[in-house]
Amino acid sequence: MNSYRVLRNTVVTMLAASTMVGSMAIGRAEEMGQAEEAGQIGQVGQVGQAEAEQAGEIAEPALRAPTRTIHRAVWFTRTAPRIRPVVRAPKVRNKAIAFRLVARRSWSHDQFQCLDSLWTRESNWNHQAHNPSSGAYGIPQALPGSKMSDSGGDWRSNPITQIHWGLRYIKSRYGSPCGAWGHFRSSNWY
């Protein structure tokens, strides 16, 4: 249910309740007026008398008017804004991790650009990417995915482990991400 419906239902409920309380107060004031005229006010008791005075205060303006106004006020509610935590998309988070790891290896920004192009084509930076036809898995699309287990036992779910493995693989096989990207562009695999 959206917040508009909740607010609307709350306002309708409050209006119904205020109308009912107003009607009861008017009815109670009329009863007290009749009791006062009959001389029975002493029998009501202290609590009843307080209720009667309160009901009289509430009902008095309504009794003076020739027509009854049920509700004239406008309801406002102030709610605290919902603060949603900033959740980065996995793609953005995984790229940020890779950027830090590439910088630690003292590779240039151009090398990161090549890595970004390569892994965007391979897995779109999804650490759960799985190619059902070949069995390749993860950000670097390791074939088979279990090869990444030498970087950590959590290779299926941890993008950091996958990125570490992928960078080591690229360094040992192609020397740099731009070398791997050049090979990929010429042969459509790396």
Side-chain angles (χ1 to χ4, degrees), residues 70-133:
I70 294 175
H71 181 71
R72 203 182 291 178
V74 177
W75 294 88
F76 291 99
T77 60
R78 292 182 188 239
T79 60
R82 284 188 197 161
I83 299 173
R84 294 186 177 140
V86 176
V87 179
R88 290 183 177 175
K91 177 180 176 179
V92 174
R93 187 186 64 217
N94 293 343
K95 277 187 183 186
I97 293 167
F99 184 80
R100 285 192 300 271
L101 294 175
V102 165
R104 278 189 199 164
R105 292 177 176 264
S106 298
W107 283 338
S108 68
H109 183 69
D110 294 338
Q111 293 295 326
F112 179 74
Q113 292 290 332
C114 292
L115 182 70
D116 183 24
S117 299
L118 178 66
W119 284 352
T120 297
R121 288 284 307 270
E122 284 291 309
S123 64
N124 201 23
W125 291 90
N126 182 358
H127 64 278
Q128 296 175 330
H130 177 70
N131 186 337
S133 62

Side-chain angles (χ1 to χ4, degrees), residues 16-30 58-59 62 68 70:
S18 67
T19 303
M20 192 166 78
V21 168
S23 299
M24 289 172 40
I26 291 170
R28 185 75 175 146
E30 289 172 354
I58 295 171
R68 287 188 189 175
I70 294 175

